[in-house]
Amino acid sequence: MTAMDLTGLETRPSQVWGAVRLVPLVRPAPVEDLRLHPRILGDGPSVVSVGPRAAYFSYIPHAFVADWTDDGTPAAAYGTHLAAAADAAAPATSALRFHRRMARREQKHRLRFLPLHTALEGYLALHFGGPSFAWEEWSHRALRSGLSPRAEQAYTGAEIPGLADALRVFEIHPGQCGVLLYVADALAAVFVVPHPDDYRALHPTLVQDLYGELVHHYALLMPPVQEFRAHVADEGIDSLAGLRAAAGEQERAWADFHDTTMAAQAAEQDGTWRRVHRMGPFTLARFLPEFRPRQENHIGEAITDAAGRTVYLKTFRLSESQVRRGHLLDRMAAHDWHLADTAAGLGIDEAALGLRLESAGFGFLLRQDVLDGYRRRAAPRGRRSRR
């Protein structure tokens, strides 16, 4: 299964606001037996227990609650649930909110999960245990604690210039169950839900979601993107039916261009899937890409039905530095964390690999004397002689 399987969804003409482009996704027949609604958690930081002596700490403004039925009968969405306000008696501090697990069953047919953070936790947990062999180059800290703590940076949608205005003024299409969000025509995120009513309820949450560094920089620095307009020739059109047919042909041409060109790379992305929770006939899973440097890479989470159809999808585009970190960790694990073997597999020498680890933020994994030796070996010959 690819990371972005949009089978059963139809592309509608995009809407543009500055550098932001939203491409609506419409279901001809909505999914009735799975419904999603938001649960507002507030603006304070949150701590999520993800395992024995392991926790995930982040800004988590909302959770999604999934309700489903086992027999295919329609399920009802219950609307937004507001949490109690923070204690105003302590304005100088921010209260922590504690959650048990990324996905937790609340009732027989109800699951609470933390959207996008389910996927981000999977990326942060990538080879979290650190070296699997006690090679002499690794530090005591690496062998004792692995990659703990592991941290990554992201921006909220409110910090993406133009996104809040775009979501406020853009039209929501009849039957719309999802959207592809582009910034400077680079795919930033994909969001798909089962039902049009779910999308209307969850559309505003896109401003609170997290976005990568690349997306923020594109929105800040890139000029407005071109709006694709339909061009209908007046020759041969002598009725409203002919005009309607010509307009429909333009819509189909746009959808074909988008699906085969703009979204092609993400749709072809393969990755590793891991099941998070079983929900009757549905399955919540998260995925990681193959970490291809200098290419588009998305992490995300999805809910699929018994036939494998995607009924919920949310993705996060990794920055180039995040891709490099994932690629390095994958290559290290593939070579049993042996530096010389990993360097040979990457086509570089061991000193260059050591410096790559340091620039990626993993220098603490190496012994200090080993890292210093790599720096000396990599220094220019003239610089070494002056010392």
Side-chain angles (χ1 to χ4, degrees), residues 102-309:
M102 288 288 176
R104 182 166 180 259
R105 188 185 292 266
E106 295 186 335
Q107 296 179 15
K108 182 179 179 181
H109 292 121
R110 180 178 295 181
L111 180 78
R112 187 273 299 150
F113 65 98
L114 304 179
L116 202 56
H117 295 275
T118 301
L120 288 169
E121 190 267 335
Y123 172 73
L124 291 172
L126 183 67
H127 308 299
F128 189 74
S132 52
F133 288 85
W135 304 110
E136 61 180 8
E137 295 89 354
W138 301 113
S139 65
H140 291 298
R141 176 183 171 184
L143 297 174
R144 182 179 63 252
S145 304
L147 277 74
S148 179
R150 175 97 186 272
E152 293 291 343
Q153 182 180 4
Y155 295 85
T156 66
E159 297 176 281
I160 307 299
L163 179 58
D165 289 336
L167 293 171
R168 178 173 54 84
V169 302
F170 282 178
E171 174 189 5
I172 296 179
H173 283 243
Q176 184 170 346
C177 290
V179 67
L180 292 95
L181 169 62
Y182 292 85
V183 177
D185 278 341
L187 182 60
V190 184
F191 181 43
V192 174
V193 296
H195 196 280
D197 292 344
D198 299 345
Y199 183 80
R200 289 184 176 273
L202 299 175
H203 176 82
T205 65
L206 289 165
V207 179
Q208 299 173 312
D209 280 340
L210 299 179
Y211 299 90
E213 178 185 27
L214 178 77
V215 175
H216 178 264
H217 288 175
Y218 278 7
L220 192 64
L221 302 175
M222 300 299 286
V225 296
Q226 177 184 358
E227 184 174 0
F228 293 99
R229 296 183 178 274
H231 297 283
V232 178
D234 55 1
E235 295 86 357
I237 297 178
D238 53 7
S239 65
L240 287 177
L243 181 61
R244 186 178 297 109
E249 185 176 338
Q250 287 291 307
E251 282 195 6
R252 289 188 292 273
W254 151 253
D256 183 66
F257 166 75
H258 170 269
D259 297 345
T260 59
T261 304
M262 294 186 66
Q265 193 174 73
E268 295 168 359
Q269 173 183 293
D270 292 323
T272 303
W273 287 75
R274 179 182 176 186
R275 191 176 76 179
V276 175
H277 205 93
R278 185 74 178 174
M279 308 156 50
F282 301 98
T283 301
L284 172 64
R286 64 189 181 202
F287 57 85
L288 292 172
E290 295 180 328
F291 297 109
R292 304 162 298 178
R294 294 177 295 279
Q295 294 188 44
E296 186 176 322
N297 289 263
H298 294 258
I299 62 173
E301 64 209 18
I303 296 177
T304 55
D305 62 12
R309 179 181 54 162

Side-chain angles (χ1 to χ4, degrees), residues 350-366:
E350 192 174 326
L353 174 60
L355 296 182
R356 277 195 189 182
L357 287 170
E358 183 184 30
S359 65
F362 298 139
F364 66 91
L365 294 174
L366 298 171

Side-chain angles (χ1 to χ4, degrees), residues 56-131:
Y56 175 91
F57 179 90
S58 184
Y59 164 70
I60 306 176
H62 54 263
F64 286 177
V65 178
D67 294 282
W68 69 91
T69 60
D70 290 326
D71 56 4
T73 56
Y78 291 89
T80 302
H81 294 250
L82 299 176
D87 185 4
T93 62
S94 179
L96 287 174
R97 292 175 174 81
F98 292 85
H99 307 283
R100 290 178 56 191
R101 302 184 180 277
M102 288 288 176
R104 182 166 180 259
R105 188 185 292 266
E106 295 186 335
Q107 296 179 15
K108 182 179 179 181
H109 292 121
R110 180 178 295 181
L111 180 78
R112 187 273 299 150
F113 65 98
L114 304 179
L116 202 56
H117 295 275
T118 301
L120 288 169
E121 190 267 335
Y123 172 73
L124 291 172
L126 183 67
H127 308 299
F128 189 74

Side-chain angles (χ1 to χ4, degrees), residues 14 50 101 122 125 157-158 217 251 257 279 318 339 341 351 377 386:
S14 67
V50 294
R101 302 184 180 277
H217 288 175
E251 282 195 6
F257 166 75
M279 308 156 50
L318 297 173
L339 287 175
D341 291 348
R377 287 165 56 182
R386 286 196 298 272

